[in-house]
Amino acid sequence: MKKIAVLTSGGDSPGMNAAIRAVVRKAIYHDIEVYGVYQGYLGLINDNIEKLELGSVGDMIQRGGTFLYSARCPEFKEKEVRAKAIENLEKRGIEGLVVIGGDGSYRGAQRLSEEAKNLKTIGVPGTIDNDINGTDFTIGFDTALNTIIESVDKIRDTASSHERTFIIEVMGRDAGDLALWSGLAAGAETILIPEVKADIEEIAEKIQQGMDRGKKHSIIVCAEGVMTGNQCGEELKKYINIDTRVSCLGHIQRGGTPTGMDRVLASRLGGYAVELLMQGESAKAVGIQQNELTCTHFDGIFQSEHNIDNKMYELAHQLSI
Ligand SMILES: Nc1ncnc2c1ncn2[C@@H]1O[C@H](COP(=O)(O)OP(=O)(O)OP(=O)(O)O)[C@@H](O)[C@H]1O
Ligand SMILES: O=P(O)(O)OC[C@H]1O[C@](O)(CO)[C@@H](O)[C@@H]1O
Ligand SMILES: [Mg+2]
């Protein structure tokens, strides 16, 4: 393998730059040329591709976002559009592509590996959602988690001073990991996640019981995929007369300097992706499982839905009474 390319796709996540840096430096260390594709699959179609050097990734490991930019590119689901992308890679003699992104980005990479004659693809899990099979953690999850915890801790001060119930809406359209982990870590009384059907009446009863015991305030962490924080407040009012406030954390969760855990994870996974390409592997995604680097075929990754840790969900419930 003499030439490879790297791109970031889907929602950005803290640590993507550290992953790109690892791919670039590892490849150059092994005398492989590296090309950066700007704007994810959109740049692949539009030929927005440039050679990267060691210096291109200097001063990058600590930066949030992705200097290669990211995009959502729905037209990449069409085969004719992907043919253009393959042409742009082939004309440069690029034989390997590292795709840093979420599950959707992996699907694009899988298609490319099926349709291009001389292209190997490797996926690197870069998403704050932590919703990808084949890895215990995705790059950016730890940073986003800590951003949420810091925010909830601050909100708790006001909840306590004013004896209020606060609803904190966090990201996760289909995945509850951010809500579950942050809710557990921040001591939320209630955690609402897309994987478990919400029973608002039961939540209202729990808040009432807490108040009857002398509890002054309550924190509810609600994943956006369940309902909005405002909807949650309206629903609660049907069952209980309390003063609620809503905080929607929004994109603050996606930005910021990556934590040490995310930088190390990104560096290990980025380096391993290049190793796999050198070994001739393709259509696989790298991951970390029980602190070991692993790789899983895309087919295996898509075989089942990503699930939350049910034991952790039960524990959060047991600790929040
Ligand atoms: N079935 C598919 N076939 C080809 N390409 C796809 C497919 N699904 C998604 N993609 C490509 O991958 C891009 C990113 O996918 P998506 O928007 O789902 O984000 P993601 O990678 O899952 O990241 P995140 O969920 O963290 O934002 C899409 O915009 C599209 O270009
Ligand atoms: O910034 P966008 O494109 O609106 O995407 C928001 C979505 O991206 C994610 O952060 C994943 O990257 C989801 O949790 C969230 O719903
Ligand atoms: Mg996704």
Side-chain angles (χ1 to χ4, degrees):
M1 179 115 356
K2 286 272 162 273
K3 289 184 188 180
I4 66 167
V6 56
L7 61 81
T8 48
S9 166
D12 68 343
S13 73
M16 276 185 164
N17 280 325
I20 301 165
R21 172 182 178 271
V23 170
V24 171
R25 298 231 164 139
K26 176 85 174 169
I28 294 176
Y29 179 86
H30 291 289
D31 292 324
I32 297 169
E33 275 183 26
V34 195
Y35 290 77
V37 181
Y38 291 84
Q39 297 177 306
Y41 291 130
L42 191 64
L44 206 52
I45 302 164
N46 294 337
D47 209 17
N48 195 356
I49 303 172
E50 274 172 22
K51 191 159 177 264
L52 298 175
E53 308 294 347
L54 284 177
S56 316
V57 290
D59 197 22
M60 275 300 161
I61 196 164
Q62 79 285 9
R63 291 198 201 173
T66 160
F67 84 92
L68 286 180
Y69 304 97
S70 191
R72 301 208 193 264
C73 174
E75 59 269 38
F76 205 71
K77 291 181 184 166
E78 291 160 33
K79 194 171 177 183
E80 316 79 70
V81 174
R82 291 195 297 272
K84 182 77 199 135
I86 293 169
E87 195 186 307
N88 288 333
L89 290 169
E90 280 178 352
K91 74 181 181 196
R92 289 182 175 82
I94 294 169
E95 305 149 284
L97 176 67
V98 177
V99 171
I100 306 169
D103 53 338
S105 303
Y106 281 11
R107 288 193 189 272
Q110 186 181 35
R111 294 280 95 83
L112 286 177
S113 64
E114 289 160 0
E115 292 159 13
K117 259 189 266 138
N118 296 314
L119 182 73
K120 303 195 184 311
T121 62
I122 296 289
V124 175
T127 167
I128 62 164
D129 289 339
N130 208 39
D131 61 345
I132 304 187
N133 287 333
T135 189
D136 294 342
F137 295 106
T138 59
I139 299 164
F141 174 68
D142 186 61
T143 309
L145 173 63
N146 280 289
T147 301
I148 299 173
I149 293 169
E150 204 184 318
S151 308
V152 179
D153 287 350
K154 286 182 177 156
I155 289 168
R156 180 185 275 280
D157 289 344
T158 301
S160 164
S161 307
H162 289 264
E163 302 177 39
R164 278 178 189 156
T165 293
F166 262 87
I167 301 158
I168 296 143
E169 182 189 318
V170 301
M171 277 190 171
R173 268 184 300 219
D174 309 301
D177 272 33
L178 274 177
L180 174 56
W181 283 64
S182 64
L184 178 59
E189 275 70 23
T190 300
I191 300 169
L192 297 172
I193 55 174
E195 293 86 348
V196 180
K197 199 174 164 358
D199 185 339
I200 299 290
E201 191 173 0
E202 197 180 292
I203 295 166
E205 265 171 36
K206 187 175 168 184
I207 295 172
Q208 187 61 58
Q209 282 163 9
M211 282 161 55
D212 294 345
R213 283 199 331 264
K215 219 168 161 47
K216 301 285 189 208
H217 66 268
S218 192
I219 302 279
I220 298 171
V221 174
C222 176
E224 63 180 341
V226 179
M227 61 183 114
T228 67
N230 284 323
Q231 281 167 342
C232 181
E234 290 306 315
E235 287 295 313
L236 271 175
K237 277 191 192 121
K238 293 182 185 164
Y239 301 100
I240 186 170
N241 183 23
I242 44 164
D243 195 18
T244 56
R245 290 290 187 278
V246 176
S247 275
C248 174
L249 299 186
H251 285 78
I252 196 170
Q253 297 161 92
R254 280 241 296 265
T257 298
T259 59
M261 291 299 281
D262 273 331
R263 294 182 202 193
V264 171
L265 180 64
S267 303
R268 290 177 78 187
L269 293 180
Y272 188 43
V274 175
E275 264 176 38
L276 289 180
L277 284 177
M278 287 165 63
Q279 288 164 17
E281 297 283 4
S282 185
K284 288 185 172 174
V286 294
I288 190 145
Q289 296 176 318
Q290 296 173 352
N291 204 26
E292 292 286 334
L293 294 173
T294 57
C295 66
T296 312
H297 201 278
F298 286 138
D299 290 341
I301 292 200
F302 299 133
Q303 220 164 35
S304 58
E305 293 280 298
H306 177 78
N307 276 321
I308 52 137
D309 182 333
N310 287 319
K311 286 220 165 109
M312 193 189 295
Y313 181 78
E314 274 169 37
L315 178 71
H317 185 68
Q318 289 160 3
L319 300 187
S320 67
I321 32 170

